[in-house]
Amino acid sequence: MKRFFKPVEKEGSFKKPALSAPSSSAPADGGSAGAAGEGEAGGKPEKKEPLKFLTWNANSLLLRVKNNWPEFSKFVQFLDPDAICIQEVRMPAAGSKGAPKNPGELKDDTSSSRGEKQVLMRALSSPPFKTYQVWWSLSDSKYGGTALFVKKQFQPKKVSFSLNRTASKHEPDGRVIIAEFESYFLLNTYVPNNGWKDDENSFQRRRKWDQRMLDFVLQLEKPLIWCGDLNVSHEDIDVSHPDFFSNAKLNGYTPPDARDCGQPGFTLAERDRFSKILSQGKLIDAYRFLHKEKDMERGFSWSGNPIGKCFHISGAEVAS
């Protein structure tokens, strides 16, 4: 979930913070991570299904392997999560040009794609990642995509890749992975950005997504743990300057509906729809449950936007 933003006064005014110690919630440069629910106390009884979760928008897993893998590996080794949810994998799906793609497999039909796949798989075959089984849901190009790592000792009953839980069908751009375990569902999502302009169809795309997400949580027969980049800052406490971002505009454009005005991810329409998903789905924001005060010192980002820097701290939305 997007947590807060920091306005940029001039180009180059933002300095990337130094890497945090392993106990921090930030795994490495350019990511967002959060953990929920250790579920182990005392003698640490044997777990029958994942109880500790890590979620990270990697903004290109290949780049993270090339630039930040020692730091991320140390963080994973320290935290020892049972499941890792990755968003923005940005690796293309298997399939030659003009042919149907396989979103569940990495592309390797060209020399460059084979080389990139080898780099990535070599990293994932080294400790601590070799103890995890990996599922992919990928886009046709180097855009979007999600990955789910689950320790091999835990076998999901079913893994699917769309909100209607059809195992063989993937969401466009590889935005969803759902793992069903005995007592809950684990959902990993890369939610579409709302965008700035209605005429770009991004508002409609986000409205449809939010409605589908609501339908999804209402028909579940088990509790849900929802991880990922949810592309929304839910409450005023989640942004550094609520008024600034509520009134933000891109190139002076004002949407026809006032509820669509403001920074994408912090418009009233998005926040209200997200509130509805949480309330009707009986979900709680796990991060805000633990951190009830405004916490501007937590989290960082690799990227900016026309209005300001976007900071992420991802967590899990957990069914109550």
Side-chain angles (χ1 to χ4, degrees), residues 9-62:
E9 296 181 1
K10 62 182 180 179
E11 186 66 24
S13 64
F14 177 76
K15 293 184 178 180
K16 179 175 64 179
L19 290 175
S20 302
S23 59
S24 167
S25 62
D29 168 31
S32 56
E38 291 192 23
E40 298 181 61
K44 292 187 177 181
E46 182 180 352
K47 291 182 284 189
K48 297 181 180 179
E49 54 191 1
L51 295 176
K52 186 186 290 186
F53 309 91
L54 168 67
T55 177
W56 186 27
N57 182 319
N59 191 31
S60 174
L61 192 56
L62 183 64

Side-chain angles (χ1 to χ4, degrees), residues 76 121-134 149-152:
V76 170
M121 299 312 294
R122 190 179 302 120
L124 296 182
S125 63
S126 302
F129 301 98
K130 67 179 183 179
T131 60
Y132 294 85
Q133 184 174 353
V134 183
F149 301 1
V150 177
K151 282 188 175 179
K152 294 177 181 178

Side-chain angles (χ1 to χ4, degrees), residues 1-3 5 57 88 143 175 189-195 205-206 209-210 226 228-234 263-267 270-271 274 310 312 314:
M1 178 185 294
K2 290 185 178 177
R3 285 302 178 195
F5 304 85
N57 182 319
E88 287 204 77
Y143 173 79
R175 294 186 179 274
T189 61
Y190 174 44
V191 175
N193 190 286
N194 190 66
R205 178 182 68 162
R206 181 56 182 268
W209 171 276
D210 289 341
W226 181 10
D229 182 346
L230 309 190
N231 252 320
V232 65
S233 295
H234 185 211
Q263 167 74 41
F266 195 62
T267 65
E270 292 171 274
R271 296 165 65 190
F274 189 69
C310 171
H312 301 261
S314 294

Side-chain angles (χ1 to χ4, degrees), residues 166-180:
T166 302
S168 60
K169 181 180 179 182
H170 290 246
E171 292 284 343
D173 301 323
R175 294 186 179 274
V176 169
I177 302 179
I178 305 166
E180 180 183 358

Side-chain angles (χ1 to χ4, degrees), residues 4-5 10 13 58 65 70 76 131-132 134 164 182 222 249 262 272 293 303:
F4 53 84
F5 304 85
K10 62 182 180 179
S13 64
V65 167
V76 170
T131 60
Y132 294 85
V134 183
N164 62 11
E182 187 65 34
K222 297 179 183 180
K249 296 180 180 180
D272 285 349
E293 302 298 325
S303 65

